[in-house]
Amino acid sequence: MSSTELPFVPPANVFPRVAPVGVEEGERLRSVELPGITLAVRSRPPAREGLPPALYVHGLGGSSRNWSALMPLLDGTVDGEAVDLPGFGDSPPPDDGDYSVTGHARAVIRLLDASGRGSVHLLGNSLGGAVSTRVAALRPDLVRTLTLVSPALPELRVQRTALPTGLLALPGVTTLFTRLTREWTPEQRVRGVMALCYGDPGRVTPEGFRNAVREMERRLQLPYFWDAMSRSARGIVDAYTLGGQQGLWRQAERVLAPTLLVYGGRDQLVGFRMSQRAARAFRGSRLLTLPDAGHVAMMEYPEAVATAFRELLLDAGELETGSMTGPAAGARAVDDGGERTGVESAGAEAERGTSAAGTAGRASGAETGGGAPGTGTAGGASGSEAGGASFGAGAGG
């Protein structure tokens, strides 16, 4: 085997069974078999029948559990499902070993086509944001609205804190790193993840941290864990180099669905400066900026993200005014660069590209009590799958 090849990964049916994936109260996990892939899908029962469908797509190193803080806040708005991309969460590797952005997008499209639910409100974080952008551009018939949380779109000047993730794509680096970090405990790895992915790791509760450690222990037992990580990281790097019609920025310009963009001011993996370029690329988009959030705003500030999502649906004609729920129900917000807290009064509109949805604030006034679900069991439980890691914990992107 040449030095540029990744190790052989056996078929999924020979993998040992490890501890079960964590499921929050009210959630269920099912397996969907499709040609060439088997996908685990997490869901919650909607508050009532007839709600429009939604699909949540996690980031690199993450899983469907990354959305467990946001999903219950929106179960009165959408009928939501969250997918484990191939090789992550409880989904085994794809038969063809394709972990490219296009490969993951193909998996999402197959799931949507097979579900019979029609077009969905599509939400993606990090790698899942890049995947969702490609899905929305290639199959506009499947996407009603698009919500992107720190999407992994190409940057010319990548932050230094994001470089370790890119190194995962280099042949041999993963093997070397696993050897060097063999003695690292799951607790050490989880702390590395949280330090990199959260704007304030202190928001994670002790229970959330314990859940994250258990998940890290489970993931490290999977024989394909690092292979899925390295190949997916390589897929992101490759997507960054594509030009023409296959370039992610060009595809962003082709998205027809109303789009909400969410960026964290303390994101160490996706540059906050990219928010303005994204707002220009996605036509008629809305921008929510959260100055104290890191790479996983839907876990740190789920209330703020939920409020902005409902406003997106309301303005897109996908939600009746009477259906607005939550602590900021009926309020409209405007991004002001993060200087104010809370939610602006109804009717405020910012010019296109700077936002009509920002519930920005130093403490995110849209949340109540400072202890939103994302800071407790649901959100913190996914700390080890927060779309990222300080290299040794699993990577970000």
Side-chain angles (χ1 to χ4, degrees):
M1 181 175 70
S2 72
S3 61
T4 60
E5 293 178 349
L6 289 168
F8 169 75
V9 177
N13 59 5
V14 304
F15 291 136
R17 185 63 182 172
V18 298
V21 172
V23 179
E24 301 297 332
E25 183 178 356
E27 293 181 345
R28 58 186 290 263
L29 200 66
R30 74 180 192 279
S31 184
V32 179
E33 294 189 9
L34 300 167
I37 52 173
T38 298
L39 300 175
V41 178
R42 184 181 304 263
S43 63
R44 296 180 59 87
R48 61 183 184 280
E49 294 185 2
L51 292 177
L55 183 69
Y56 305 85
V57 187
H58 64 81
L60 177 65
S63 79
S64 58
R65 202 174 184 186
N66 287 28
W67 300 97
S68 289
L70 182 64
M71 290 176 69
L73 300 180
L74 295 177
D75 62 11
T77 304
V78 294
D79 182 357
E81 295 184 342
V83 62
D84 286 332
L85 291 173
F88 296 96
D90 210 34
S91 294
D95 289 353
D96 59 6
D98 186 356
Y99 288 100
S100 66
V101 171
T102 297
H104 285 311
R106 187 180 301 118
V108 171
I109 290 172
R110 287 178 182 172
L111 176 63
L112 292 175
D113 278 336
S115 70
R117 300 205 302 161
S119 60
V120 302
H121 297 291
L122 187 61
L123 299 89
N125 168 235
S126 195
L127 165 64
V131 169
S132 297
T133 296
R134 184 150 291 175
V135 171
L138 297 178
R139 291 291 304 274
D141 59 304
L142 293 177
V143 182
R144 302 168 78 143
T145 66
L146 182 64
T147 297
L148 305 176
V149 181
S150 295
L153 301 175
E155 299 184 50
L156 292 178
R157 292 180 296 138
V158 179
Q159 298 180 100
R160 285 182 296 176
T161 47
L163 291 178
T165 299
L167 290 176
L168 276 176
L170 298 179
V173 170
T174 300
T175 301
L176 173 63
F177 192 78
T178 53
R179 185 182 307 128
L180 294 175
T181 62
R182 186 177 294 115
E183 302 303 318
W184 287 19
T185 66
E187 289 82 0
Q188 289 174 309
R189 296 176 187 272
V190 169
R191 289 191 181 94
V193 173
M194 292 181 174
L196 187 65
C197 293
Y198 281 75
D200 178 11
R203 291 176 64 83
V204 180
T205 66
E207 182 182 2
F209 182 81
R210 289 191 296 271
N211 289 338
V213 170
R214 284 194 289 269
E215 173 59 20
M216 178 60 69
E217 292 170 340
R218 187 194 72 83
R219 292 170 62 193
L220 291 173
Q221 295 179 51
L222 297 172
Y224 55 84
F225 168 63
W226 284 111
D227 184 69
M229 289 290 297
S230 58
R231 289 180 187 265
S232 292
R234 184 177 298 176
I236 295 176
V237 173
D238 289 345
Y240 275 33
T241 64
L242 288 178
Q245 294 301 315
Q246 296 303 312
L248 283 169
W249 285 115
R250 183 67 63 84
Q251 292 188 329
E253 294 171 352
R254 290 165 50 191
V255 171
L256 301 177
T259 301
L260 169 65
L261 304 166
V262 182
Y263 282 83
R266 295 183 178 180
D267 194 332
Q268 300 181 65
L269 293 166
V270 171
F272 182 73
R273 64 183 180 277
M274 300 306 294
S275 62
Q276 295 300 319
R277 180 176 181 181
R280 292 191 298 269
F282 291 91
R283 65 185 75 183
S285 59
R286 304 160 61 85
L287 174 62
L288 168 63
T289 59
L290 295 168
D292 284 348
H295 191 59
V296 286
M298 73 285 187
M299 297 169 69
E300 284 192 276
Y301 296 96
E303 292 278 3
V305 175
T307 296
F309 176 77
R310 294 189 200 99
E311 291 178 358
L312 171 71
L313 269 58
L314 187 62
D315 278 358
E318 296 279 347
L319 183 69
E320 296 181 0
T321 305
S323 299
M324 292 285 282
T325 59
R332 303 295 304 282
V334 55
D335 175 57
D336 53 17
E339 294 304 318
R340 302 178 192 171
T341 59
V343 182
E344 291 287 337
S345 60
E349 290 277 344
E351 63 184 77
R352 175 185 176 275
T354 57
S355 169
T359 49
R362 289 293 164 189
S364 184
E367 298 203 59
T368 57
T375 65
T377 305
S382 303
S384 63
E385 13 176 279
S390 65
F391 214 128

